[in-house]
Amino acid sequence: MEKTFNRMAGAVAHATGRPSAFGLCLGSVLIWAATGPIFHYSETWQLIINTGTTIITFLMVFLIQNTQNRDGAAIQAKLDELIRSGQAKNDFIGIEHLTEREVEEFRSLCERAKTAASTNP
């Protein structure tokens, strides 16, 4: 089920990121707005756009988050492999799993190292 969801999330994210998807949404809103006078701007007329946009937004949040999580994990794996294969210290592998305070300690360590390197060329 996870692979099916990932494929679907990727396909939806790809499709909704295209100009034609934006055009379709814009066209839908324009058609809805144009029908306002026909339906006398009734509560039902308003409810249609409110319900539609709420449902789409709710579902898209989960699909986009899934896609970003997978992309972020893939980038981390690639960066970890670069660190492992290079001359760098391996202390930074997996720091995305640390607490915010622990990550801040690594940032401070890097800043101090940068300052020391720039003052002692």
Side-chain angles (χ1 to χ4, degrees):
M1 177 156 168
E2 187 176 348
K3 284 191 177 219
T4 302
F5 178 77
N6 285 343
R7 279 196 303 268
M8 183 201 56
V12 170
H14 180 73
T16 56
R18 300 183 148 275
S20 58
F22 176 78
L24 179 66
C25 290
L26 181 62
S28 298
V29 170
L30 292 175
I31 290 170
W32 170 81
T35 61
I38 296 169
F39 294 106
H40 308 291
Y41 302 101
S42 68
E43 288 184 20
T44 304
W45 173 80
Q46 293 176 30
L47 186 62
I48 288 171
I49 197 74
N50 290 338
T51 303
T53 55
T54 300
I55 290 170
I56 290 169
T57 301
F58 179 75
L59 295 174
M60 287 302 294
V61 165
F62 294 104
L63 292 174
I64 292 168
Q65 188 62 50
N66 174 270
T67 303
Q68 288 181 340
N69 288 348
R70 284 186 291 120
D71 287 349
I75 288 171
Q76 279 307 138
K78 292 172 185 179
L79 289 172
D80 288 351
E81 180 58 25
L82 286 171
I83 292 169
R84 271 193 290 278
S85 66
Q87 299 296 324
K89 294 168 79 177
N90 292 339
D91 296 343
F92 291 96
I93 292 177
I95 66 170
E96 69 275 8
H97 301 293
L98 299 177
T99 65
E100 192 171 338
R101 183 187 306 164
E102 291 169 327
V103 172
E104 190 56 42
E105 288 174 17
F106 270 103
R107 286 184 184 142
S108 295
L109 177 68
C110 289
E111 190 62 36
R112 285 192 303 270
K114 178 184 170 191
T115 303
S118 65
T119 57
N120 298 323

